[in-house]
Amino acid sequence: YLKPLKEYFETLCVESSNKMEFDELANQGIFRKMFHLIYQVWTSSRYYNTPTRLVVLLRELSNDLILSAKANIGVEDLLQVEPDEAVKRLSGTLAICAHFKNC
């Protein structure tokens, strides 16, 4: 039941070789597709249709998004760049996270 989700988690995961650029996540509709697949798993699987297992999937999705956002911002060198560049990074990242929240 989770195989269709694997490719989407890989596009979000920082360590994956199939990682998609963070700015493209909202443009490609990745979050909406992932939530749709999670809904299908929830409705059709006898194993994953419990709140506990659904929470684990959503937590993994959220954790991968947080790690990708952190990598996109570049926390280590955020204070080293020009203020305009720092604001641009933060604004873009917050927009992607807002898109995730609104799915």
Side-chain angles (χ1 to χ4, degrees):
Y1 286 101
L2 298 181
K3 283 185 181 181
L5 279 168
K6 183 179 178 184
E7 85 175 73
Y8 292 109
F9 273 99
E10 286 178 352
T11 62
L12 191 59
C13 183
V14 175
E15 290 89 18
S16 174
S17 61
N18 297 333
K19 182 183 179 317
M20 183 179 287
E21 289 297 320
F22 191 77
D23 297 335
E24 292 296 315
L25 292 173
N27 296 340
Q28 298 295 324
I30 298 296
F31 301 133
R32 187 169 303 278
K33 292 173 186 175
M34 289 181 83
F35 279 116
H36 179 72
L37 287 172
I38 289 171
Y39 171 75
Q40 286 181 327
V41 167
W42 169 264
T43 58
S44 62
S45 170
R46 286 187 280 142
Y47 183 77
Y48 286 101
N49 70 350
T50 63
T52 305
R53 292 195 175 92
L54 183 65
V55 165
V56 170
L57 283 174
L58 294 176
R59 185 178 300 138
E60 287 299 321
L61 175 57
S62 299
N63 288 344
D64 282 348
L65 178 64
I66 291 167
L67 290 174
S68 293
K70 182 180 173 185
N72 185 58
I73 292 171
V75 176
E76 293 79 21
D77 62 23
L78 188 62
L79 297 175
Q80 311 278 325
V81 298
E82 294 295 320
D84 290 339
E85 175 65 25
V87 168
K88 181 180 172 185
R89 286 186 195 177
L90 290 170
S91 297
T93 301
L94 287 173
I96 300 291
C97 292
H99 182 75
F100 172 78
K101 180 182 171 187
N102 292 328
C103 280

